[in-house]
Amino acid sequence: YNNIQTKQTNEKQPLTPCPQTPPDLNGTMRLLVPAQETLEEVAQQLSWLRLLEGGHQEPLDCRARYKIAIIVPYRDRLSNLCTFLLNMHPFLTKQQLDYSIFIVEQFDDGLFNRAMLMNVGFNEALKLRDFDCFFFHDVDLIPENDRNIYSCPDQPRHMSVAIDKFNYRLPYVDLFGGVIGMSRNHFQLVNGFSNMFWGWGGEDDDMASRVKAHDLNITRYTPNVARYHMLTHAKQKANPKRYEKLYSGRKRFKTDGLNNLEYRVKSLKQLPLFTYLLVDLTGRR
Ligand code: UD2
Ligand code: MN
């Protein structure tokens, strides 16, 4: 029986592992603009890619090295979302990745909680597949260099190092917002993000503290590779309690995060361009 099993698996997977560095990367990215800002139009423009259900893709001619989940916290930014999808799918496909895009939308109209939505994305994604690592990704950031590889990092990786909006300079050395990549194990080790940051700001710095408190290091690609364009959007109101929460955060690493996450999934759908999660966060505040 064992022999038969092995044989079958071998026959199913005759593919050799994908190369460490994908071929055909050229160090640039032309920003694609949707002809119309609707998901149907974007799906139409991407039909040549032959995406699988739920915004999933895997390389055809080699075996991907990792299974990757892209988690995007989201509410009311359709225009950004259309551009994001139109650009990210070709970008990730070219990198020969096995990936799925998750859009995690906050259902209630209370203050936005970016960090909590990302915890939910992590939790729900793992119910669907055993992803090796996670990229927590703002919807308004588009990579400008195709050599910025979304491979699973050994240490937490800050991806969005050089953003046009910030003149391609890192605003401060511990910045860990925008786009970050973490292995499943490291994200679990730090108990995910804090659930207590409602409104703009602080949650990314709290994650940086978690990473450091667990003797992990934030790593980065060089700024000429880790370049991003930020799409325009309305500015959120800053959370006046963000510093207070940040300074007292260390006491809560063990009790505030993945292990006390409460939410209700209102909808879970495998759409053509992404896996969609609509979540109500009103359980706790
Ligand atoms: C910065 C960080 C971001 C986060 C935020 C503070 C960078 C480049 N970005 O972004 O990662 O730490 O500060 O919370 O360091 N969103 C919606 N709808 C909303 C509000 C937010 O979808 O109404 C999502 C969306 O994915 C957006 C992200 O949350 O890109 C961050 O919000 P932002 O773009 O308004 O904040 P920004 O640019 O100051
Ligand atoms: Mn932004």
PDB file of all heavy atoms in Angstrom, residues 144-145 147-149 221-228:
ATOM      1  N   GLU A 144       7.405  48.151  -7.314  1.00  0.00           N
ATOM      2  CA  GLU A 144       7.924  48.770  -8.543  1.00  0.00           C
ATOM      3  C   GLU A 144       9.065  47.977  -9.153  1.00  0.00           C
ATOM      4  O   GLU A 144       9.602  48.367 -10.185  1.00  0.00           O
ATOM      5  CB  GLU A 144       8.449  50.185  -8.221  1.00  0.00           C
ATOM      6  CG  GLU A 144       7.350  51.165  -7.888  1.00  0.00           C
ATOM      7  CD  GLU A 144       7.877  52.586  -7.710  1.00  0.00           C
ATOM      8  OE1 GLU A 144       9.103  52.768  -7.588  1.00  0.00           O
ATOM      9  OE2 GLU A 144       7.040  53.505  -7.697  1.00  0.00           O
ATOM     10  N   ASN A 145       9.481  46.908  -8.495  1.00  0.00           N
ATOM     11  CA  ASN A 145      10.619  46.131  -8.992  1.00  0.00           C
ATOM     12  C   ASN A 145      10.268  44.648  -8.886  1.00  0.00           C
ATOM     13  O   ASN A 145       9.976  44.151  -7.795  1.00  0.00           O
ATOM     14  CB  ASN A 145      11.848  46.472  -8.141  1.00  0.00           C
ATOM     15  CG  ASN A 145      13.117  45.829  -8.659  1.00  0.00           C
ATOM     16  OD1 ASN A 145      13.089  44.742  -9.249  1.00  0.00           O
ATOM     17  ND2 ASN A 145      14.241  46.487  -8.432  1.00  0.00           N
ATOM     18  N   ARG A 147      12.089  42.178  -8.924  1.00  0.00           N
ATOM     19  CA  ARG A 147      13.060  41.374  -8.165  1.00  0.00           C
ATOM     20  C   ARG A 147      12.806  41.426  -6.655  1.00  0.00           C
ATOM     21  O   ARG A 147      13.540  40.826  -5.873  1.00  0.00           O
ATOM     22  CB  ARG A 147      14.485  41.854  -8.454  1.00  0.00           C
ATOM     23  CG  ARG A 147      14.858  41.671  -9.906  1.00  0.00           C
ATOM     24  CD  ARG A 147      16.367  41.635 -10.126  1.00  0.00           C
ATOM     25  NE  ARG A 147      16.637  41.281 -11.510  1.00  0.00           N
ATOM     26  CZ  ARG A 147      17.104  42.132 -12.424  1.00  0.00           C
ATOM     27  NH1 ARG A 147      17.399  43.374 -12.086  1.00  0.00           N
ATOM     28  NH2 ARG A 147      17.287  41.726 -13.658  1.00  0.00           N
ATOM     29  N   ASN A 148      11.763  42.131  -6.267  1.00  0.00           N
ATOM     30  CA  ASN A 148      11.345  42.181  -4.856  1.00  0.00           C
ATOM     31  C   ASN A 148      10.545  40.896  -4.587  1.00  0.00           C
ATOM     32  O   ASN A 148       9.328  40.865  -4.672  1.00  0.00           O
ATOM     33  CB  ASN A 148      10.479  43.423  -4.657  1.00  0.00           C
ATOM     34  CG  ASN A 148      10.037  43.619  -3.234  1.00  0.00           C
ATOM     35  OD1 ASN A 148      10.462  42.896  -2.330  1.00  0.00           O
ATOM     36  ND2 ASN A 148       9.159  44.590  -3.031  1.00  0.00           N
ATOM     37  N   ILE A 149      11.259  39.835  -4.258  1.00  0.00           N
ATOM     38  CA  ILE A 149      10.661  38.498  -4.274  1.00  0.00           C
ATOM     39  C   ILE A 149       9.886  38.179  -2.992  1.00  0.00           C
ATOM     40  O   ILE A 149      10.405  38.343  -1.889  1.00  0.00           O
ATOM     41  CB  ILE A 149      11.752  37.446  -4.530  1.00  0.00           C
ATOM     42  CG1 ILE A 149      12.411  37.846  -5.857  1.00  0.00           C
ATOM     43  CG2 ILE A 149      11.156  36.040  -4.576  1.00  0.00           C
ATOM     44  CD1 ILE A 149      13.080  36.818  -6.607  1.00  0.00           C
ATOM     45  N   TYR A 221      15.173  43.839   2.211  1.00  0.00           N
ATOM     46  CA  TYR A 221      15.931  43.846   0.960  1.00  0.00           C
ATOM     47  C   TYR A 221      16.500  45.254   0.787  1.00  0.00           C
ATOM     48  O   TYR A 221      16.077  46.197   1.442  1.00  0.00           O
ATOM     49  CB  TYR A 221      15.018  43.542  -0.238  1.00  0.00           C
ATOM     50  CG  TYR A 221      14.479  42.141  -0.337  1.00  0.00           C
ATOM     51  CD1 TYR A 221      13.177  41.928  -0.778  1.00  0.00           C
ATOM     52  CD2 TYR A 221      15.258  41.019  -0.045  1.00  0.00           C
ATOM     53  CE1 TYR A 221      12.649  40.645  -0.927  1.00  0.00           C
ATOM     54  CE2 TYR A 221      14.739  39.735  -0.187  1.00  0.00           C
ATOM     55  CZ  TYR A 221      13.436  39.550  -0.625  1.00  0.00           C
ATOM     56  OH  TYR A 221      12.922  38.303  -0.764  1.00  0.00           O
ATOM     57  N   THR A 222      17.417  45.392  -0.166  1.00  0.00           N
ATOM     58  CA  THR A 222      18.003  46.715  -0.380  1.00  0.00           C
ATOM     59  C   THR A 222      16.937  47.665  -0.950  1.00  0.00           C
ATOM     60  O   THR A 222      16.013  47.231  -1.658  1.00  0.00           O
ATOM     61  CB  THR A 222      19.204  46.678  -1.347  1.00  0.00           C
ATOM     62  OG1 THR A 222      18.685  46.715  -2.674  1.00  0.00           O
ATOM     63  CG2 THR A 222      20.039  45.432  -1.163  1.00  0.00           C
ATOM     64  N   PRO A 223      17.055  48.973  -0.621  1.00  0.00           N
ATOM     65  CA  PRO A 223      16.031  49.943  -1.021  1.00  0.00           C
ATOM     66  C   PRO A 223      15.814  50.048  -2.533  1.00  0.00           C
ATOM     67  O   PRO A 223      14.722  50.411  -2.962  1.00  0.00           O
ATOM     68  CB  PRO A 223      16.555  51.271  -0.479  1.00  0.00           C
ATOM     69  CG  PRO A 223      17.680  50.955   0.421  1.00  0.00           C
ATOM     70  CD  PRO A 223      18.119  49.563   0.188  1.00  0.00           C
ATOM     71  N   ASN A 224      16.812  49.727  -3.348  1.00  0.00           N
ATOM     72  CA  ASN A 224      16.524  49.836  -4.790  1.00  0.00           C
ATOM     73  C   ASN A 224      15.706  48.657  -5.313  1.00  0.00           C
ATOM     74  O   ASN A 224      15.170  48.720  -6.412  1.00  0.00           O
ATOM     75  CB  ASN A 224      17.781  50.091  -5.637  1.00  0.00           C
ATOM     76  CG  ASN A 224      18.930  49.205  -5.227  1.00  0.00           C
ATOM     77  OD1 ASN A 224      18.752  48.364  -4.351  1.00  0.00           O
ATOM     78  ND2 ASN A 224      20.076  49.358  -5.848  1.00  0.00           N
ATOM     79  N   VAL A 225      15.598  47.598  -4.516  1.00  0.00           N
ATOM     80  CA  VAL A 225      14.718  46.476  -4.882  1.00  0.00           C
ATOM     81  C   VAL A 225      13.359  46.628  -4.200  1.00  0.00           C
ATOM     82  O   VAL A 225      12.309  46.447  -4.821  1.00  0.00           O
ATOM     83  CB  VAL A 225      15.373  45.127  -4.495  1.00  0.00           C
ATOM     84  CG1 VAL A 225      14.365  43.993  -4.571  1.00  0.00           C
ATOM     85  CG2 VAL A 225      16.569  44.845  -5.398  1.00  0.00           C
ATOM     86  N   ALA A 226      13.364  46.970  -2.905  1.00  0.00           N
ATOM     87  CA  ALA A 226      12.132  47.007  -2.112  1.00  0.00           C
ATOM     88  C   ALA A 226      11.383  48.323  -2.301  1.00  0.00           C
ATOM     89  O   ALA A 226      11.053  49.024  -1.347  1.00  0.00           O
ATOM     90  CB  ALA A 226      12.471  46.776  -0.646  1.00  0.00           C
ATOM     91  N   ARG A 227      11.117  48.667  -3.548  1.00  0.00           N
ATOM     92  CA  ARG A 227      10.471  49.933  -3.896  1.00  0.00           C
ATOM     93  C   ARG A 227       8.977  49.755  -4.158  1.00  0.00           C
ATOM     94  O   ARG A 227       8.563  48.790  -4.801  1.00  0.00           O
ATOM     95  CB  ARG A 227      11.093  50.486  -5.180  1.00  0.00           C
ATOM     96  CG  ARG A 227      12.448  51.114  -4.998  1.00  0.00           C
ATOM     97  CD  ARG A 227      13.120  51.263  -6.339  1.00  0.00           C
ATOM     98  NE  ARG A 227      12.575  52.366  -7.130  1.00  0.00           N
ATOM     99  CZ  ARG A 227      13.055  53.593  -7.083  1.00  0.00           C
ATOM    100  NH1 ARG A 227      14.048  53.901  -6.268  1.00  0.00           N
ATOM    101  NH2 ARG A 227      12.537  54.540  -7.839  1.00  0.00           N
ATOM    102  N   TYR A 228       8.200  50.728  -3.708  1.00  0.00           N
ATOM    103  CA  TYR A 228       6.744  50.672  -3.896  1.00  0.00           C
ATOM    104  C   TYR A 228       6.177  52.023  -4.315  1.00  0.00           C
ATOM    105  O   TYR A 228       6.697  53.076  -3.928  1.00  0.00           O
ATOM    106  CB  TYR A 228       6.048  50.258  -2.589  1.00  0.00           C
ATOM    107  CG  TYR A 228       6.204  48.798  -2.256  1.00  0.00           C
ATOM    108  CD1 TYR A 228       7.378  48.327  -1.684  1.00  0.00           C
ATOM    109  CD2 TYR A 228       5.183  47.881  -2.508  1.00  0.00           C
ATOM    110  CE1 TYR A 228       7.540  46.982  -1.363  1.00  0.00           C
ATOM    111  CE2 TYR A 228       5.330  46.542  -2.191  1.00  0.00           C
ATOM    112  CZ  TYR A 228       6.507  46.097  -1.625  1.00  0.00           C
ATOM    113  OH  TYR A 228       6.653  44.763  -1.312  1.00  0.00           O
TER     114      TYR A 228
END
